[in-house]
Amino acid sequence: MTATTGLAERLRTELGADSVVTDPDVMSSYQRDMMPLAPAGSPQVVVFPANTAQVQTVVRACAEAGVPIVPRGAGSGLSGAANAIDGCVVLVTSRMNEIVEIDPDNRLAVVQPGVINLEFRGAVEKHGLFYPPDPSSYDWCTMGGNVSTNAGGLCCVKYGVTTDSVLGLEVVLADGEVLRTGRRTVKGVAGYDLTKLFIGSEGTLGVITEITVALKPLPQAPGTTIAAFSSTEAAGAAVAQIVREGLVPSLMEIMDASSIQAVEEYLKTELGAGKGCAALLLCQSDAGGEAARHELEVIEQVCQSAGADLAYTTHDLAEGQMLLQARRAVLTALEIYGTWLTDDVCVPRTRIAELISGCERVSAECGLRIAVVGHAGDGNMHPTIVYDANSPEEFARARKAFDDILAIGLSLGGTVTGEHGIGKIKRDWLAKEIGPVGMRVHREIKTALDPGNLFNPGSMF
Amino acid sequence: MTATTGLAERLRTELGADSVVTDPDVMSSYQRDMMPLAPAGSPQVVVFPANTAQVQTVVRACAEAGVPIVPRGAGSGLSGAANAIDGCVVLVTSRMNEIVEIDPDNRLAVVQPGVINLEFRGAVEKHGLFYPPDPSSYDWCTMGGNVSTNAGGLCCVKYGVTTDSVLGLEVVLADGEVLRTGRRTVKGVAGYDLTKLFIGSEGTLGVITEITVALKPLPQAPGTTIAAFSSTEAAGAAVAQIVREGLVPSLMEIMDASSIQAVEEYLKTELGAGKGCAALLLCQSDAGGEAARHELEVIEQVCQSAGADLAYTTHDLAEGQMLLQARRAVLTALEIYGTWLTDDVCVPRTRIAELISGCERVSAECGLRIAVVGHAGDGNMHPTIVYDANSPEEFARARKAFDDILAIGLSLGGTVTGEHGIGKIKRDWLAKEIGPVGMRVHREIKTALDPGNLFNPGSMF
């Protein structure tokens, strides 16, 4: 019996046979997340623990066998952080999918990591409560994955990212011990903020087995303003002015000409690309009543002053959702042209137009379509490169464009990832962004908490 | 020349004589913060570096001499975290008091750690911007101290604590290297969240030399509702119902009978203590216009339904400030009766009344006045014990009451510190709250970043 067989056997004995998979065909569907650029290896075992005790069992068995663990939620990530490495154990949290508690009086909830974001949103809505983080994959991504990547979404301009909604965690550490971080109170400063250290750590420090989140009151149904601009500079100026006016819309998204054109073709609709529309800005206000009307009125005026060719506001929910559909359809629409590769860069809000024009330059240089969509309200842009997956040469050009965009982001005072994470594709860029002292501190913390490099080695750094 | 003299001499040579103090009388005013219970030793040197390079010089000199450093802002803290230990170097940030940059278009600012909170608030207000964290000492505490303790204040119920406003830090590490954490963008997930690890670390991991903060639009002038209750249970029920209604007031403070009585005597005013008023609830809404009117109307109705004897709302700013004065005057008012010792405990919002009645029990048991004031909106209470500082026996009883209150807080599912920190008085309580695995992880991180235990040894753990 080899060591490998031994580990699978041990896990079968301790977890039950239906929790352990070694069939290569089945395992292959747990090899990758949604980022085609990132390397992915072949696991030796895929395990589906049902509870914290079983996670401890897996961690201890792997630690003893010297086999690395790659924790994984649904695999909707866009950085390769959940990608397997050769010979690893992939630990899938999908069976730990219980909403443990919803406490409306204290506006908090406790969930297991495998709970689907959308299911959780629905469950708390029944109590008149709101869980803000809404990554694009919210209908299939898991709460554990959201915490591990510190996921964002369309909500962030007003409600922040995942870390802003998490009160505490339960984590299984490298030696199999259970750490509880944080608390059930809305404030608390007892000790280091370990909760926020584990959030966004991409599975490199431990396995998250329970999450306590803070909830907000359910906001009002949003009103929506859409504005069309004949230049990205004018759209960028509108975004900057909206920020300067002290407005905090609940959503502020931008689409460039390439995105608009793709959506027009895909949805068979008319958004103005043929008439020189270079950028669409979509804003929502969920402030309700007079406040929302005022907020969107000012936004409409700002857009017009910045040179919008058209600006339109509706307080009809269905119409607003229809307008937003254009934004949500961009990635799917781009599949008309080929395979997409979406980048993730966040710049100061005043530099958005420069980022978009930079992407136009990169597109011209590499000869590939690059569509820019993004969360204008927080400067988080997703330039998306379209290429032919069957052409290694196009893939190489796409890869170069991906990096060129990150360089532009950094040069504008931005970061190489606003919400997707470092994972296995941006390790070099993390080092470029934070420098040698930052990298040293990362390694010191990693070594302190995971001296055997058990958790997700090769991710992040 | 002794080693001690050698260190002072070296610092004088490298920093300039006016930056280094060794006179025991002068040094004694840098020995303590505002927490009388915490132990304090005698420093060998007090230094006032003028910039990051000078902080590096101090850190390197102390590391070489094996002399611990206690970093310190204004000394307004309430945990003894800034208290000197025997033979240490106290590093005072007061000379690093420059507002480096205010960027209204990106709603951010960069400050040195010695900037006074109130001065900074005023500076950004001129740009129509708002820096929420407002600890009670905001007219003299420093931004660096606020970050080191993750300070709170009255704003937290709507705007969160200091960590929610910080984008990035510059920190001098134990080997004298400069670490930059975070970024200037509103979103970013590149690497571990080192920014939030240093926030609230009470000077145990490094010396913070620069802070980048996010700013908010200046809110509207607040309206104010005050409600008087003849039982703390009724006041607690009102708080729970306000939370349940989905309201987010910009301030929600509670005062118990003891606090009310003290303020009546001090301000020579009538707040109802003589007529059986057991609790006052003060709420503000800064939502502006119709939204604020609606919010305070609902709050007033909730208070009345919960059994308030009186509920009154004003949208006059000056009148609102006058009402709030009663809350702000509590600690000063208590000095009529003796020396005060303020505790800091945070419980789930539904447990506030139980905490207050628990404090009444402790008061009866120890025979000392205990006044409870606190941030009802987030369950963060400050039971304040009054004792005779000249009586060691009363001091001992006060000390015991302080601990008894923490035990009650923990038993209610709370934390032993909502905003003041662990420092040198709650080390045992940190261990009780987070347990052995939590303590182990704390020590692992501390050892990884500060292997020589150079920074603030004996604080936190």
Side-chain angles (χ1 to χ4, degrees), chain A residues 3-5 7-8 11 22 27 31 40-46 62 65-70 83-90 454 457:
Chain A
T4 296
T5 323
L7 179 60
L11 293 172
T22 50
M27 288 201 298
Q31 229 176 325
S42 297
Q44 60 168 286
V45 184
V46 178
C62 289
V67 172
I69 297 171
V70 177
N83 283 12
I85 54 175
D86 280 334
C88 77
V89 167
V90 171
L454 182 69

Side-chain angles (χ1 to χ4, degrees), chain B residues 342-363:
Chain B
T342 195
D343 213 335
D344 169 44
V345 60
C346 191
V347 295
R349 287 172 282 208
T350 47
R351 314 299 293 270
I352 292 173
E354 288 166 85
L355 181 75
I356 294 177
S357 61
C359 290
E360 286 164 4
R361 274 201 315 279
V362 173
S363 172

Side-chain angles (χ1 to χ4, degrees), chain B residues 6 42 85 91 143 178 302 319 325 412 444:
Chain B
S42 297
I85 54 175
L91 187 160
M143 298 287 288
V178 174
V302 167
E319 192 182 12
Q325 206 198 342
L412 296 171
E444 285 167 351

